[in-house]
């Protein structure tokens, strides 16, 4: 059947990137509280140069996740990031919709 | 997640099989379970529950905190009949985010000119379904009005547990269809799953309006049903 072509599939992109020899991290929304822009299970994938595909919020915290991903790509150690209105950093990066989210960021190891 | 797991997950998704990934948040180890494949005993219950609800989330298993992600195939619509209604439905389905394919063995109807940009197969449904089987994540819309073309895909859709099976025709037409489906060996319970007359009752008259009614009924079936067990959720 025809693939939906209006958006790229983040996990397919991640696999393609790894096969090109790029370092790739997968960020996944693992928990949400209150009003969260993207549901649990949503993916954002990031490469070593900061290219990304997909989303874990409506654009509010992607910048911070991409920043953390650089670290995780280097160390290979997965991390859980939390963003919400109670968190000053998160507020600064803008999850202003009032919700809280937890995001798992892990490296794809070949 | 390691690359092999990612590749196996993507392969399952590409072949339209439901899959679940368990990630241990302490160790960052991931385990993949794919519908129809063997899965370690300790994961079977959580896997079954996850695929039934379709809901990812945190779970506790064996004293460990795990994240369970669920990947269900995207819903698609298979239309039998390259008719006026299908022309409108094809355009609306694309906007609503469904993949859609049209089958019709009548080459006079199934022309690229009438269905530009739509996947169109000018062949008999029983031949096409042999190589592209139906699944629970597919909606079947039968609109040719011709039992020779419609009946077999309707039977196949009920057997495959398609989340939606709709057939065009008046109540009288449907009554004779029910008789034919019985003769094909289908139970009354299975036959009762056929939505006919097709589409939500919104007084639709034109082909485009009927397409709206059909698409709305498909969305209702998708969102109000547990598409894996086929059971109706309370409204």
């Amino acid at each position: 059947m025809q693939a939906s072509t209006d958006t790229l599939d983040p996990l397919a992109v991640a696999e393609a990137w790894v096969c090109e020899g790029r370092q790739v991290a997968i960020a996944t929304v693992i928990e949400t509280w209150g009003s969260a822009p993207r549901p649990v299970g949503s993916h954002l994938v990031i490469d070593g140069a900061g290219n990304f595909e997909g989303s874990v919020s409506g654009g509010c915290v992607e910048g911070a996740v991409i920043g953390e991903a650089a670290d995780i790509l280097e160390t290979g150690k997965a991390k859980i990031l939390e963003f919400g209105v109670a968190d000053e950093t998160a507020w600064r990066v803008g999850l202003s919709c009032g919700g809280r989210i937890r995001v798992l960021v892990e490296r794809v190891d070949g | 997640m390691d690359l092999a797991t990612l590749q196996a997950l993507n392969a399952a998704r590409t072949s339209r099989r439901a899959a679940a990934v368990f990630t241990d948040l302490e160790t960052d180890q991931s385990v993949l379970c794919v519908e129809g494949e063997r899965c370690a005993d300790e994961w079977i219950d959580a896997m079954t529950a996850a695929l039934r609800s379709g809901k990812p989330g945190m779970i506790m298993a064996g004293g460990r905190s795990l994240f369970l992600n669920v990947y269900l195939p995207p819903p698609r619509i298979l239309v039998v009949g390259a008719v006026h209604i299908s022309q409108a439905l094809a355009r609306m389905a694309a906007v609503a985010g469904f993949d859609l394919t049209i089958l019709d063995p009548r080459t006079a109807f199934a022309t690229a000119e009438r269905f530009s940009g739509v996947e169109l197969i000018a062949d008999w449904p029983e031949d096409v379904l042999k190589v592209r089987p139906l699944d629970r994540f597919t909606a079947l819309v039968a609109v040719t009005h011709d039992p020779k073309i419609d009946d077999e895909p309707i039977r196949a859709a009920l057997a495959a547990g398609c989340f939606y099976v709709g057939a065009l025709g008046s109540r009288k037409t449907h009554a004779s269809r029910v008789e034919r489906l019985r003769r094909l060996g289908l139970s009354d319970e299975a036959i009762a799953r056929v939505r006919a007359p097709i589409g939500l009752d919104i007084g639709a008259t034109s082909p485009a309006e009927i397409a709206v009614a059909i698409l709305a009924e498909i969305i209702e079936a998708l969102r109000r049903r547990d598409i894996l067990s086929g059971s109706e959720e309370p409204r």
Side-chain angles (χ1 to χ4, degrees):
Chain A
M1 299 288 150
Q2 279 179 321
S4 174
T5 48
D6 50 347
T7 52
L8 289 170
D9 177 72
L11 294 185
V13 168
E15 184 182 334
W17 283 353
V18 175
C19 293
E20 284 170 22
R22 287 148 88 167
Q23 285 216 306
V24 177
I26 298 177
T28 308
V29 179
I30 59 170
E31 274 184 292
T32 66
W33 296 266
S35 151
R38 296 281 288 132
V40 171
S42 303
H43 293 297
L44 167 71
V45 303
I46 308 116
D47 78 357
N51 296 301
F52 67 95
E53 194 59 58
S55 64
V56 290
S57 74
C60 322
V61 302
E62 272 73 7
V65 174
I66 292 162
E68 290 281 350
D71 247 17
I72 291 151
L73 286 178
E74 197 163 310
T75 62
K77 194 165 165 23
K79 225 183 210 184
I80 294 170
L81 310 175
E82 194 164 329
F83 300 98
V85 288
D87 177 330
E88 206 178 295
T89 314
W91 183 243
R92 200 176 63 232
V93 301
L95 198 69
S96 51
C97 32
R100 276 204 301 144
I101 61 173
R102 285 217 300 162
V103 178
L104 169 70
V105 188
E106 54 185 329
R107 188 172 74 181
V108 180
D109 292 313
Chain B
M1 189 186 290
D2 59 37
L3 178 60
T5 305
L6 177 63
Q7 287 173 323
L9 171 61
N10 282 342
R13 293 164 65 233
T14 306
S15 64
R16 294 185 61 81
R17 278 173 303 154
V21 172
F22 299 85
T23 305
D24 186 324
L25 295 181
E26 287 294 315
T27 63
D28 192 38
Q29 292 297 304
S30 292
V31 173
L32 169 71
C33 294
V34 177
E35 177 193 24
E37 286 180 10
R38 279 180 56 198
C39 168
D41 287 348
E42 57 180 313
W43 306 112
I44 287 175
D45 288 349
M47 163 86 175
T48 306
L51 293 188
R52 186 156 293 146
S53 75
K55 286 207 173 71
M58 299 296 304
I59 59 165
M60 288 300 290
R64 288 175 297 170
S65 181
L66 303 171
F67 174 65
L68 164 60
N69 211 347
V70 185
Y71 302 87
L72 300 181
R76 62 178 175 181
I77 301 172
L78 183 67
V79 183
V80 176
V83 299
H84 202 167
I85 293 170
S86 324
Q87 288 176 296
L89 183 59
R91 293 162 68 182
M92 292 172 192
V95 172
F98 292 89
D99 286 345
L100 179 142
T101 301
I102 297 177
L103 298 185
D104 199 325
R106 303 168 301 179
T107 48
F109 285 81
T111 67
E113 195 175 11
R114 281 158 45 80
F115 291 92
S116 146
V118 178
E119 188 183 30
L120 181 66
I121 304 174
D123 212 339
W124 286 89
E126 47 263 63
D127 295 332
V128 176
L129 296 181
K130 269 179 212 148
V131 285
R132 300 169 71 155
L134 294 164
D135 59 37
R136 290 168 295 178
F137 307 97
T138 302
L140 182 93
V141 174
V143 288
T144 68
H145 264 138
D146 181 344
K148 286 197 304 298
I149 306 172
D150 281 352
D151 282 4
E152 171 51 26
I154 291 171
R155 188 206 58 76
L158 293 172
C162 287
F163 75 90
Y164 175 92
V165 184
L168 189 68
S170 65
R171 277 170 224 289
K172 194 165 160 232
T173 308
H174 186 59
S176 45
R177 177 186 295 126
V178 167
E179 283 311 311
R180 292 195 309 273
L181 292 175
R182 275 198 191 119
R183 285 201 294 273
L184 289 176
L186 288 168
S187 69
D188 286 352
E189 192 189 359
I191 295 169
R193 290 199 52 229
V194 180
R195 311 274 189 130
I198 199 168
L200 294 186
D201 185 4
I202 55 171
T205 305
S206 72
E209 289 171 3
I210 294 167
V212 170
I214 294 171
L215 187 57
E217 194 172 53
I218 290 172
I219 293 169
E220 181 190 46
L222 177 67
R223 298 301 174 197
R224 289 231 172 100
R225 261 167 189 274
D226 173 343
I227 61 176
L228 282 146
S229 73
S231 65
E232 200 86 41
E233 269 182 24
R235 303 232 171 140

